[in-house]
Amino acid sequence: MKKMGLLPRLILGIILGIIIGVVSSKVGNYAIPRIFVTFSELFGAFLGFIIPCIIIAFVAPGIAELGKESGKLLALTAAIAYISTIIAGTVSYFIGMSILPKVLKAEEIAKKAGVDIKPYFSLKIDPIMGVMTALVMAFMLGVGMSKIKGRTLFNSAKDFQHIISLVVKNILIPFVPVYIIGIFVKLTISGDIFRTLKAFSSVYIILFLLQIAYLVGQYSIAWMISGKKPFKSIKNMMPAYFTALGTQSSAATIPVTLQSARKNSISEDINDFVIPLCATIHLAGDTITLVLASMGVMIMNGAMPTFGTMFPFILMLGVTMVAAPGIPGGGVMASLGLLQDMLMFNPAQQGLMIALHAAQDSFGTATNVTGDGAIAIIVDAVAKRSEVKEALRLVQ
């Protein structure tokens, strides 16, 4: 019998998580859910530990192998990610202003809390460094290795990359579906998502449709630059999309995103460089959510968001999102200061934003990581054109 692929296992994990959560809630017995939640807690702790290792293992050698082009490609990737985020927020504003005032009414999120499932036990596994620290370290090592003549450090970095690749292949990828079961069991039993969806259903419908449309737009641009068919490219990224639905973390989804992006025939060096980088700096999905949700909260409280108010907020979001290191809920946590200082949100409104973001965090993260694949295609196409031009110049 042919082994079930990753994508079917991810979908099965989501369905099983919801079914187990619903059945357990009806019978009032949470023994089985606690087993899955315990596994998710342990697996999540291990993910938190290995994420900085993944970033260093893939980004540093990737930059080093790009050599002199690494600085240019780093600037190009960062610029594309920032522009993508700003466009996502701006489009969200105009779509929101054309629809939200007509459909959104003042409603309250239900106060009744569901059951909070606790693991049987948990372990604290501290990462060797923070994600942003790992990113800076990877930049420094990568650029440094590309400049020095010696190969000792580079060979060591490649050996470390091989070790991390084995961990990803033999531990992370096989157990991600079980991890997702535990996450969806807990979300289903707690009832947070369903209560929030009931009150803000119109906002979420707009969010989801806009996120999907934005992905199609990103891959259409990538198609115009690279010639790679957009819907085929999106199809290849679906394992990453569904993994992100469960992990709610761009960084935790890096192993699957790397695996999915390779199917789009992206150069290995570019893939290993762009995907981990964009997992930290490209959060277009979160930006769409934060802009539309904040507009919804403002409209509910009788304030009409203007472009003059929202556009500076969007510009700052593009920078602040870098401080959201690909962890669940990182986007909204990084934006709380902007919500308070620029949109004058009080603590209650900030709490509502956290709830709104949490209810769809999976879809925002899925949009982020799937969009990373489009950026990788664009950067790869630009890099190949530069190589061709350089070759022609040398021939002439």
Side-chain angles (χ1 to χ4, degrees):
M1 182 178 178
K2 188 177 180 180
K3 185 179 179 181
M4 183 182 292
L6 177 60
L7 181 57
R9 287 188 286 128
L10 294 172
I11 296 174
L12 182 61
I14 293 172
I15 295 173
L16 285 176
I18 295 174
I19 292 174
I20 293 172
V22 171
V23 172
S24 299
S25 296
K26 287 185 178 295
V27 301
N29 188 325
Y30 302 107
I32 294 178
R34 287 187 69 188
I35 294 175
F36 285 104
V37 170
T38 301
F39 178 84
S40 289
E41 289 285 331
L42 297 175
F43 193 80
F46 181 69
L47 273 179
F49 165 78
I50 202 171
I51 284 171
C53 298
I54 291 174
I55 290 174
I56 292 176
F58 285 101
V59 175
I63 293 176
E65 289 178 333
L66 290 171
K68 295 180 179 180
E69 294 296 320
S70 60
K72 297 179 181 178
L73 290 179
L74 173 60
L76 175 65
T77 304
I80 293 174
Y82 182 74
I83 292 171
S84 173
T85 301
I86 300 308
I87 293 175
T90 305
V91 171
S92 299
Y93 169 79
F94 286 110
I95 295 294
M97 283 303 295
S98 64
I99 300 176
L100 289 182
K102 301 175 183 177
V103 300
L104 192 61
K105 297 179 181 179
E107 296 177 286
E108 292 185 358
I109 301 296
K111 300 298 183 181
K112 184 180 178 181
V115 178
D116 184 17
I117 301 299
K118 300 293 185 182
Y120 284 110
F121 65 94
S122 60
L123 295 175
K124 185 179 180 181
I125 309 176
D126 293 325
I128 57 176
M129 64 183 70
V131 173
M132 288 304 297
T133 303
L135 194 60
V136 174
M137 176 70 76
F139 289 160
M140 182 183 71
L141 289 175
V143 174
M145 287 187 292
S146 71
K147 302 298 181 183
I148 63 177
K149 296 181 180 180
R151 302 288 291 179
T152 303
L153 182 58
F154 176 76
N155 291 334
S156 298
K158 291 296 290 184
D159 286 342
F160 181 59
Q161 184 183 66
H162 183 60
I163 292 172
I164 297 301
S165 295
L166 289 175
V167 173
V168 169
K169 181 179 178 181
N170 297 314
I171 298 178
L172 295 190
I173 297 296
F175 288 102
V176 160
V178 184
Y179 175 54
I180 288 176
I181 291 176
I183 290 176
F184 272 82
V185 164
K186 188 170 184 178
L187 289 175
T188 302
I189 293 175
S190 70
D192 290 335
I193 289 180
F194 301 111
R195 286 197 305 273
T196 315
L197 282 174
K198 183 178 179 180
F200 269 75
S201 57
S202 58
V203 177
Y204 290 123
I205 292 173
I206 298 170
L207 273 173
F208 180 73
L209 293 177
L210 183 54
Q211 287 170 348
I212 296 300
Y214 195 70
L215 285 177
V216 173
Q218 283 182 309
Y219 279 90
S220 296
I221 293 173
W223 165 60
M224 288 187 287
I225 295 174
S226 69
K228 295 178 180 179
K229 297 179 180 179
F231 291 103
K232 182 179 179 181
S233 298
I234 292 174
K235 179 183 177 182
N236 290 336
M237 293 299 297
M238 283 297 97
Y241 185 92
F242 281 96
T243 300
L245 286 180
T247 64
Q248 298 181 327
S249 167
S250 298
T253 311
I254 287 174
V256 181
T257 311
L258 285 167
Q259 187 182 73
S260 300
R262 288 190 183 102
K263 297 178 183 177
N264 287 326
S265 301
I266 300 169
S267 301
E268 195 75 15
D269 295 345
I270 297 294
N271 193 54
D272 291 347
F273 166 66
V274 173
I275 295 299
L277 173 61
C278 286
T280 304
I281 66 173
H282 180 235
L283 286 87
D286 278 294
T287 301
I288 291 172
T289 300
L290 291 168
V291 171
L292 279 177
S294 61
M295 290 173 65
V297 172
M298 293 172 72
I299 292 172
M300 285 178 58
N301 287 273
M304 191 59 64
T306 64
F307 186 71
T309 299
M310 295 302 298
F311 190 62
F313 174 70
I314 294 168
L315 292 177
M316 287 303 299
L317 267 183
V319 177
T320 307
M321 289 294 96
V322 178
I327 60 174
V332 69
M333 294 302 174
S335 71
L336 289 180
L338 298 180
L339 291 170
Q340 176 181 324
D341 295 341
M342 302 187 73
L343 301 185
M344 306 304 171
F345 275 31
N346 58 38
Q349 292 170 328
Q350 292 176 25
L352 180 56
M353 282 294 296
I354 293 173
L356 289 171
H357 186 275
Q360 67 72 64
D361 194 17
S362 295
F363 294 99
T365 304
T367 302
N368 294 338
V369 301
T370 307
D372 294 347
I375 294 179
I377 291 174
I378 294 172
V379 174
D380 185 51
V382 172
K384 287 178 179 176
R385 289 180 183 177
S386 297
E387 291 173 359
V388 171
K389 289 181 179 178
E390 180 64 19
L392 290 174
R393 188 186 67 81
L394 291 176
V395 170
Q396 294 172 351

